[in-house]
Amino acid sequence: MSHTVTVSAEARAKDDAFLKERKASGKQKYIVRHSKQARVTHGVTVIACILLCISGLFVFVPQLAQAVGADTVFAIRMSHRVIGCIFVLVPLISAILAPKGVAHIFKNLFAKWNSDDKKWMLLFFPYLFMAKWIHMPDQDEVKSGQRFADGMLWLAGALMGVTGVILMLGSTVLNLGTGYGVVLFLHDLGFLLIAVFGLAHIFLGGGIFQPYRGTYKLMFGDGLVSEADALYHWGHWARKELTSGEKVVEKSAK
């Protein structure tokens, strides 16, 4: 399966001239994709989430708890609560410090899908296996598929955070009674959602898939994306940013 794009001779000539000019300048353009605060918040939350998933297995799975013993389970349970507080508080503090950033995130998540978004979703699974032969349509700052996956991660994270706080209070100051089982089920549901969508997020965001190779640097590096990669992955967004120039920086070509 392939999807070809016809490029006119005039457009090709302009592209060649542009590339020659850029090469002669010795400069490479980059676009700021993620701020330092966003990268720190993301990094802390990701590490906390992974540790919570691991420690939660020993807290909530009886077989694993029996295997490590009561003392170890107690230590893991306490660490689970401390890490859970970090998982909840760090995003909240970051949101309070940058409310416009949060509003921007949700604006992207709930943006109306256009024809390019729908086409991108239809081509995505063939693209995973035949990226060299399939041209994907341009995307805005957040791809259509990413909007859905990230939205589910936000939902699952909020679900785990809220239910986790209730469970912690239920074992100390609250008496949940029969409601404990319901809250625990919702907590487990949040874990399942994070496991599914988190793995997909890691597969693409971690750069395991060839066309996304190196994208981990956007969150775990300097937050910059090269002009070429930006145009390839987020064409509509990249052209807007390149035109405005507000988030564009130039670095010497390596």
Side-chain angles (χ1 to χ4, degrees):
M1 178 179 180
S2 65
H3 179 73
T4 59
V5 176
T6 303
V7 180
S8 67
E10 181 182 359
R12 191 180 297 278
K14 288 182 179 180
D15 289 343
D16 290 340
F18 170 80
L19 292 173
K20 288 179 181 178
E21 181 182 353
R22 181 57 50 79
K23 185 176 181 180
S25 70
K27 297 286 187 179
Q28 172 67 53
K29 281 188 176 181
Y30 292 84
I31 303 174
V32 178
R33 179 76 179 169
H34 300 296
S35 67
K36 184 176 182 179
Q37 180 180 334
R39 300 197 306 274
V40 171
T41 302
H42 178 270
V44 172
T45 305
V46 165
I47 293 172
C49 183
I50 292 173
L51 292 176
L52 283 173
C53 289
I54 296 173
S55 59
L57 290 174
F58 289 92
V59 173
F60 296 109
V61 178
Q63 292 81 356
L64 291 176
Q66 292 174 5
V68 298
D71 292 339
T72 302
V73 171
F74 176 78
I76 293 175
R77 186 184 297 276
M78 293 302 104
S79 68
H80 190 80
R81 293 178 178 181
V82 172
I83 298 169
C85 290
I86 295 173
F87 179 77
V88 172
L89 290 176
V90 169
L92 283 178
I93 294 171
S94 184
I96 293 171
L97 294 175
K100 290 183 179 179
V102 177
H104 184 71
I105 290 173
F106 280 92
K107 180 181 177 181
N108 282 331
L109 289 179
F110 293 100
K112 185 178 180 180
W113 285 30
N114 56 33
S115 58
D116 282 343
D117 292 325
K118 297 173 184 177
K119 189 174 183 180
W120 192 91
M121 285 300 294
L122 289 174
L123 290 173
F124 177 67
F125 285 106
Y127 175 65
L128 286 176
F129 304 99
M130 298 179 287
K132 291 183 178 180
W133 298 279
I134 296 179
H135 176 80
M136 298 295 277
D138 287 343
Q139 292 283 276
D140 287 310
E141 186 173 359
V142 181
K143 297 180 180 180
S144 49
Q146 185 184 352
R147 291 175 211 167
F148 174 72
D150 285 1
M152 293 303 295
L153 283 175
W154 274 86
L155 175 64
L159 181 62
M160 288 199 72
V162 171
T163 55
V165 170
I166 294 174
L167 288 172
M168 184 171 66
L169 294 177
S171 62
T172 54
V173 298
L174 295 179
N175 182 15
L176 297 178
T178 56
Y180 180 87
V182 175
V183 177
L184 180 59
F185 168 77
L186 293 175
H187 197 66
D188 291 343
L189 177 62
F191 167 77
L192 179 61
L193 291 174
I194 282 184
V196 173
F197 290 97
L199 288 174
H201 187 77
I202 292 171
F203 178 71
L204 297 178
I208 299 173
F209 176 44
Q210 175 55 42
Y212 291 83
R213 193 63 54 83
T215 51
Y216 70 91
K217 296 178 182 178
L218 300 182
M219 273 299 185
F220 295 98
D222 56 12
L224 301 179
V225 58
S226 69
E227 179 183 26
D229 285 344
L231 288 168
Y232 178 81
H233 290 293
W234 307 280
H236 292 313
W237 170 76
R239 279 188 283 275
K240 292 176 186 175
E241 294 297 341
L242 290 169
T243 300
S244 70
E246 294 181 7
K247 295 183 179 180
V248 178
V249 297
E250 286 193 352
K251 297 168 66 175
S252 299
K254 296 180 180 179

